[in-house]
Amino acid sequence: MTSAQITFLILAGIAAISAIGVVALNSPVRSALVLVVNFFVLAFLYFSLGAQLLGITQILVYAGAIMVLFLFVIMLLNLGNTNSAIQKKDGKPLIGIICGIGLFGLIASQIILPMGPRGQTAGAAPGYGSPQAVGYTLFTNYAWAFEITSILLLVGIVGSILLAKRRLKS
Amino acid sequence: MTWYLMLGAFMFTCGAVGVIVRRNPVVVFMCIELMLNAVNLTFLTFAAYSPSLLPLGPELTQSWMSGQMMVIFVMAVAAAEVAVGLGIIMAIYRLRDEVDLDSMSAMRG
């Protein structure tokens, strides 16, 4: 077992446990904090795949911006002591777990059967995830999609301001 | 490679179960983020382990670059989606003083 495999096993274990924690923990704040752990570990997995720029972007965008937004909304809503923070005792967890096992079996069979337990060896060129390579491709072949994404983000900003604005009493 | 894909599948399943089970809309959004990240991990795995050139055309088809571009656009869409979705949750909370997905069944406010 090489050191890369040991690193992957540790990171994947943390990611899997924190993914369960997001679903299983009762308080939304705890779910958010466990999700931050998950995003950080995913960034390290991206590093281990050789995609350095995307790993850094993952930390900045997800663990930084998006999770701050989540914690901010949880704080504003003050959900800690309302009813919806507590799970009702009904059949939903059981149904969910059964559906989850079925879904995981379905996807995993489609991964294992064609791929085999070993999989392929890495084929990408070294340095394929460097900022230079990603930026060159993004601004040449994908420039149109990049501009469309900027319009999408602009629409998102305007829409969220419009939704969160307090209505004036007329 | 297989185990990266299996981790992605597991995280996606966790997110899907969370969307089914949880009643808090903020936690449901977190589970959607979890699913998006699982798909990102899968994209990057296929990018890192792809063969050098697909027989499709010029350098646009360098498949490891295509996978990374998809991840970048998924991140941008996720950011926009979270901003709008949390705005909707805030508006509903202001309207009804509670956020419970099981009691939120009417399409009109």
Side-chain angles (χ1 to χ4, degrees):
Chain A
M1 206 187 226
T2 62
S3 61
Q5 283 172 322
I6 295 173
T7 314
F8 171 75
L9 275 183
I10 294 171
L11 290 177
I14 298 174
I17 290 171
S18 56
I20 294 174
V22 173
V23 180
L25 286 178
N26 226 343
S27 147
V29 181
R30 282 183 195 160
S31 291
L33 293 180
V34 172
L35 194 56
V36 171
V37 174
N38 192 359
F39 286 165
F40 261 99
V41 173
L42 266 186
F44 294 136
L45 282 174
Y46 292 175
F47 289 145
S48 76
L49 281 172
Q52 292 97 358
L53 179 69
L54 284 172
I56 293 170
T57 315
Q58 167 89 6
I59 292 178
L60 283 180
V61 173
Y62 271 109
I66 291 184
M67 292 321 293
V68 165
L69 199 60
F70 268 115
L71 287 175
F72 200 61
V73 168
I74 290 172
M75 188 187 74
L76 276 180
L77 290 186
N78 193 16
L79 290 176
N81 47 10
T82 53
N83 275 330
S84 61
I86 304 156
Q87 292 288 108
K88 245 186 307 194
K89 294 272 182 268
D90 53 5
K92 272 175 78 177
L94 188 65
I95 296 173
I97 289 171
I98 290 174
C99 287
I101 292 173
L103 182 65
F104 183 69
L106 204 64
I107 302 175
S109 67
Q110 296 305 309
I111 294 170
I112 288 286
L113 289 183
M115 207 80 75
R118 297 272 306 285
Q120 308 175 358
T121 51
Y128 80 105
S130 66
Q132 188 187 7
V134 174
Y136 182 77
T137 313
L138 186 62
F139 290 113
T140 52
N141 290 321
Y142 291 86
W144 175 242
F146 181 77
E147 300 295 336
I148 296 292
T149 309
S150 68
I151 294 178
L152 173 76
L153 285 175
L154 183 68
V155 171
I157 292 169
V158 175
S160 58
I161 289 176
L162 201 68
L163 281 169
K165 196 179 61 177
R166 221 170 268 280
R167 297 253 155 65
L168 293 176
K169 297 268 192 313
S170 59
Chain B
M1 177 185 188
T2 308
W3 297 107
Y4 279 100
L5 294 181
M6 290 296 275
L7 176 65
F10 181 76
M11 280 173 55
F12 187 87
T13 311
C14 278
V17 171
V19 170
I20 296 173
V21 168
R22 296 303 298 258
R23 296 167 66 224
N24 190 332
V26 182
V27 181
V28 169
F29 258 100
M30 288 182 207
C31 291
I32 292 175
E33 293 300 313
L34 202 62
M35 291 161 80
L36 287 173
N37 270 287
V39 175
N40 277 352
L41 180 65
T42 309
F43 267 124
L44 272 183
T45 308
F46 278 120
Y49 285 87
S50 59
S52 57
L53 274 178
L54 293 180
L56 289 177
E59 55 184 311
L60 178 72
T61 57
Q62 281 196 347
S63 45
W64 59 74
M65 294 322 283
S66 316
Q68 285 182 305
M69 292 304 121
M70 278 306 292
V71 172
I72 287 179
F73 293 131
V74 167
M75 279 184 186
V77 170
E81 172 238 343
V82 164
V84 174
L86 291 179
I88 290 176
I89 293 175
M90 293 286 299
I92 290 175
Y93 180 72
R94 205 175 292 135
L95 205 63
R96 303 179 44 147
D97 271 339
E98 55 135 16
V99 275
D100 186 350
L101 280 183
D102 288 350
S103 67
M104 216 182 280
S105 55
M107 287 291 280
R108 52 178 186 81

